[in-house]
Amino acid sequence: MASATTLSRPAAASGQDAPAAPARAYDVGLLVLRLVLGLTMAVHGAQKLFGWFGGGGVEGTGMFFASLGYPSPEAFAVVAGLTETLGGLGLAFGLLTPLAAAAVAGTMVNAIAVKWGGGFFAPEGVEYELVLTLAAVALALTGPGRIAVDRLLPRLRSHRLEYGIAAVVLGAVVAGVTLLLRP
């Protein structure tokens, strides 16, 4: 019988991924984290896009973005809504997890920048947004676990730290560019 270490170790030199190992407690924990974070973000995106769950829709979100100084506020509302919805659903399903996590983290960096100066604690502070950002970064770096659609995709079956780091850097750069567009 194979030991736990051989089940999780990639096949040597062949370039092939190791056979799938059964889910463990950390896989279930990552699934719970992905579901909670992903669905929370998807609901926030649906508020922006469709006005569901008490949201303002594109028009209301656009007016809010205009008050913050964003150019083309309705376009930014659509971008934010799509990023939150698609990034959130990607996390929930464990699909393209590093990119989905980067989308969520980048969006949350913008939210932190907007709320900066209100202190740390909610409701005016950034604690909630910071927790969401760091949870997304953690998922980008660790990967989705074994209970994820990524496990069905050959290149993503075995998560690599480099994917997570590259995705986090991409999310930070896009967030930075977005913030530079805001006067």
Side-chain angles (χ1 to χ4, degrees):
M1 176 167 202
S3 72
T5 56
T6 51
L7 285 176
S8 62
R9 196 175 338 162
S14 69
Q16 299 291 327
D17 291 330
R24 300 196 187 138
Y26 58 83
D27 296 311
V28 176
L30 288 170
L31 173 64
V32 170
L33 178 60
R34 282 192 355 257
L35 286 172
V36 170
L37 177 59
L39 295 176
T40 297
M41 292 307 300
V43 167
H44 278 281
Q47 287 179 308
K48 288 174 179 66
L49 290 174
F50 311 115
W52 296 351
F53 312 108
V58 172
E59 186 177 331
T61 304
M63 287 190 298
F64 173 68
F65 281 7
S67 74
L68 298 172
Y70 282 94
S72 305
E74 285 194 2
F76 271 92
V78 170
V79 169
L82 285 172
T83 303
E84 290 177 3
T85 302
L86 297 177
L89 291 174
L91 282 178
F93 287 109
L95 176 63
L96 303 174
T97 304
L99 289 177
V104 168
T107 301
M108 291 293 94
V109 165
N110 276 278
I112 290 169
V114 166
K115 288 184 77 175
W116 196 257
F120 179 74
F121 296 104
E124 292 85 20
V126 296
E127 68 176 324
Y128 175 68
E129 292 81 3
L130 185 61
V131 168
L132 294 178
T133 303
L134 295 178
V137 168
L139 284 170
L141 297 175
T142 62
R146 288 184 181 97
I147 309 169
V149 174
D150 282 352
R151 296 290 293 168
L152 304 174
L153 304 173
R155 291 234 180 232
L156 297 177
R157 185 171 297 138
S158 176
H159 180 76
R160 290 174 177 78
L161 179 61
E162 296 84 18
Y163 296 166
I165 292 170
V168 169
V169 168
L170 175 64
V173 167
V174 172
V177 168
T178 303
L179 289 170
L180 288 174
L181 294 174
R182 187 177 146 236

